[in-house]
């Protein structure tokens, strides 16, 4: 399904919505010249799907652990009392209700894990990550800037 169908449909979803300042900061983080460059990226749909979770989740529903994004990549949640972090990003305006879901505001655009992130984070791939570093190929497997 495309994002428009998902967000305009009747299925319930939870959206971690980066605010305008977060998108402006993403310009630098993604190595673009301006916001138009971010919006023109071929991988923008994947980045946006990473901010969408099936089902309606209020801030009080979050528990420390992982949830699966619409992209199919995990988002790490740390719930500590009223503070909820998603991939270390604080939700600062939670539980905005919509007819088909809930919106939580973030101050950063979350990037899904790159291939290098996955290889570097798992012991089973330590040799592969080391080999890529030794061959100076890590940039090939990181986020394209």
């Amino acid at each position: 399904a495309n994002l428009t169908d998902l967000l305009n449909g009747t299925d319930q979803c939870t959206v971690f919505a980066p605010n305008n300042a977060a998108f402006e900061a993403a310009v630098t983080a993604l190595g673009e010249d301006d916001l138009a460059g971010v919006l023109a990226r071929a991988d923008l749909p994947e980045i946006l799907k990473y901010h969408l979770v099936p089902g309606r989740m209020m801030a009080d529903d979050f528990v420390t652990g992982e949830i699966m994004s619409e992209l199919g990549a995990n988002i790490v949640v740390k719930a500590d009392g009223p503070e909820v972090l998603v991939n270390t990003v604080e939700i600062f305006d939670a539980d905005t209700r919509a007819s088909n879901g809930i919106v939580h505001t973030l101050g950063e655009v979350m990037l899904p894990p790159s291939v290098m992130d996955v290889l570097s984070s798992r012991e089973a791939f330590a040799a592969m990550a080391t080999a890529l570093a030794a061959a100076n190929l890590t940039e090939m497997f990181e986020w394209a800037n």
Side-chain angles (χ1 to χ4, degrees):
N2 71 40
L3 283 173
T4 303
D5 291 342
L6 289 169
L7 296 173
N8 285 330
T10 57
D11 291 343
Q12 295 295 304
C13 63
T14 299
V15 179
F16 298 107
N19 62 14
N20 292 345
F23 273 97
E24 289 297 334
V27 170
T28 302
L30 292 170
E32 299 294 342
D33 293 328
D34 53 27
L35 185 56
V38 171
L39 299 178
R41 291 178 63 98
D43 57 2
L44 184 63
E46 286 77 23
I47 294 170
L48 295 176
K49 284 181 182 179
Y50 192 55
H51 291 79
L52 182 64
V53 175
R56 188 179 185 98
M57 300 181 75
M58 304 293 281
D60 289 344
D61 296 332
F62 291 113
V63 295
T64 297
E66 294 182 344
I67 54 176
M68 183 68 66
S69 71
E70 187 66 35
L71 180 62
N74 285 329
I75 297 171
V76 177
V77 176
K78 182 179 179 201
D80 187 15
E83 181 179 70
V84 177
L85 303 176
V86 287
N87 290 350
T88 72
V89 180
E90 185 175 359
I91 294 174
F92 65 87
D93 186 11
D95 299 339
T96 303
R97 298 167 198 270
S99 63
N100 61 338
I102 299 293
V103 177
H104 303 292
T105 306
L106 303 179
E108 291 181 35
V109 173
M110 299 186 300
L111 296 179
S114 67
V115 171
M116 200 63 213
D117 292 334
V118 172
L119 294 176
S120 298
S121 68
R122 299 199 177 138
E123 185 59 34
F125 301 124
M128 179 66 170
T130 301
L132 289 170
N136 293 318
L137 294 174
T138 57
E139 281 188 25
M140 181 182 288
F141 296 94
E142 292 174 343
W143 270 95
N145 291 334

